[in-house]
Amino acid sequence: MVEEGHILIDRVSKSFEDANAAGGRQLILSGISLDIAPGSFTSFIGPSGCGKSTLLRIISGFLFPDGGKVEVDGKKVEGPGVDRGFMFQDHVLFPWLSIYDNIAFGLKVQGTYEKRKEDVKEIIHQVGLDGYEDHYPYQVSGGMQQRASLARALIGHPKILLLDEPLGALDAFTRMTMQEEIRRVWEKSHTTMIMVTHDIEEAVYMAQKVVVLSSHPGRVIKEIPIELKRPVDRESPEFTAYKTEILKALHYGENGLPEDLGEVVS
Ligand SMILES: Nc1ncnc2c1ncn2[C@@H]1O[C@H](COP(=O)(O)OP(=O)(O)OP(=O)(O)O)[C@@H](O)[C@H]1O
Ligand SMILES: [Mg+2]
């Protein structure tokens, strides 16, 4: 089987107009290079405003870099495509469609709906929205909208799934259940997943590799492969060590913290 879903990010940079910045533009991403293996699970973590959503939008093809390029399976990304599913941070659902129709939307566009009706039912069950199929987005809570949006992104079985803080609006318990759910879908589907999160624990729990980004401009500070035995024990020393490593990278950059200050952030 040919492995699909390889993402190559090659020296990507991006700036936006900003009246307050010197020269009227602000550099947001600078020289981002990442090689994301087919079927892998990567988390991006970094301070608010460092360019995580911008980077996902560039991978999805909704936004173009000023410099560098993104390739998917050797082909330069020149626009959005059905090979790349995307769940936006603001998880927009179509307000005029029911929860069910929002989730089934992609299949109807693809013309596969009639064959895959059972899959729609199954995914609705997986994300815990049984009984809410006929509701409209404004009639359900923010967390439910987020779950519907996740279901909509999962149903098309894209070879790449880009998730921008998919669980941000959920309470702690639902969030942990959904972390399991996304992991399970990933394990079954061989989809290449990139998930942006603010939550260090979530990044360590879910991903095979955590990419730590800096801000002003956004750069890759560190790539940390996560090697934990499953099921993962969130209380274990190994788990805590990864969390500390990420925290240090976020605060102090590539080289972490001088040893004698290590205790302060541990
Ligand atoms: N279309 C745009 N035009 C101008 N500036 C933009 C645009 N999109 C994003 N920016 C700016 O680029 C920077 C990075 O934004 P981005 O949304 O990628 O950050 P983020 O890392 O996803 O932040 P958060 O964690 O808060 O979601 C911010 O300063 C933002 O104001
Ligand atoms: Mg964002």
Side-chain angles (χ1 to χ4, degrees):
M1 193 174 99
V2 184
E3 282 204 288
E4 285 188 319
H6 177 214
I7 305 169
L8 189 69
I9 302 169
D10 182 17
R11 289 164 292 173
V12 160
S13 64
K14 180 75 188 170
S15 61
F16 284 119
E17 269 179 37
D18 181 349
N20 298 321
R25 290 188 80 80
Q26 179 83 43
L27 183 63
I28 302 297
L29 296 172
S30 172
I32 306 274
S33 290
L34 289 166
D35 192 332
I36 296 176
S40 61
F41 196 134
T42 306
S43 272
F44 290 171
I45 199 159
S48 181
C50 76
K52 302 178 296 295
S53 297
T54 302
L55 184 55
L56 278 205
R57 285 207 161 79
I58 290 172
I59 300 169
S60 72
F62 286 107
L63 201 64
F64 293 101
D66 301 333
K69 63 176 187 312
V70 175
E71 285 181 3
V72 168
D73 294 329
K75 208 164 155 278
K76 188 172 171 190
V77 168
E78 294 188 298
V82 287
D83 58 339
R84 277 154 291 140
F86 196 89
M87 179 178 165
F88 292 99
Q89 191 168 7
D90 43 12
H91 52 90
V92 258
L93 296 168
F94 301 122
W96 61 89
L97 292 180
S98 68
I99 294 294
Y100 184 94
D101 287 337
N102 261 287
I103 294 170
F105 180 80
L107 301 185
K108 289 186 179 174
V109 171
Q110 281 175 0
T112 54
Y113 173 67
E114 287 303 323
K115 271 192 288 180
R116 297 199 45 212
K117 278 184 185 168
E118 277 307 305
D119 295 352
V120 180
K121 264 174 87 175
E122 164 76 17
I123 200 113
I124 285 173
H125 180 64
Q126 280 178 2
V127 298
L129 286 173
D130 292 314
Y132 291 93
E133 293 88 340
D134 295 334
H135 286 57
Y136 284 84
Y138 74 90
Q139 295 174 310
V140 302
S141 71
M144 289 161 99
Q145 290 178 26
Q146 199 162 39
R147 283 182 272 148
S149 175
L150 181 62
R152 188 175 62 176
L154 293 172
I155 190 106
H157 296 318
K159 64 181 176 184
I160 291 168
L161 198 51
L162 307 165
L163 304 169
D164 196 352
E165 300 198 38
L167 309 179
L170 302 180
D171 65 88
F173 181 73
T174 315
R175 190 170 181 139
M176 279 160 88
T177 315
M178 290 303 296
Q179 287 172 359
E180 290 296 340
E181 195 51 51
I182 295 176
R183 274 284 309 194
R184 221 170 53 80
V185 170
W186 170 70
E187 278 161 16
K188 268 200 334 212
S189 65
H190 309 286
T191 300
T192 309
M193 287 204 192
I194 301 180
M195 183 186 70
V196 170
T197 176
H198 271 131
D199 183 332
I200 296 178
E201 180 168 321
E202 182 168 282
V204 175
Y205 184 78
M206 295 185 70
Q208 294 174 307
K209 187 195 271 182
V210 176
V211 175
V212 184
L213 298 160
S214 66
S215 51
H216 311 300
R219 293 180 201 274
V220 175
I221 304 181
K222 207 167 187 183
E223 293 181 53
I224 303 172
I226 308 290
E227 283 154 16
L228 289 169
K229 274 205 305 283
R230 301 253 149 207
V232 169
D233 174 4
R234 295 181 197 243
E235 308 294 323
S236 69
E238 296 80 15
F239 194 86
T240 308
Y242 280 125
K243 286 203 305 191
T244 308
E245 187 178 352
I246 292 169
L247 201 56
K248 285 182 182 174
L250 279 169
H251 278 281
Y252 302 98
E254 194 171 359
N255 299 321
L257 191 67
E259 280 308 311
D260 55 345
L261 286 177
E263 291 301 309
V264 181
V265 295
S266 298

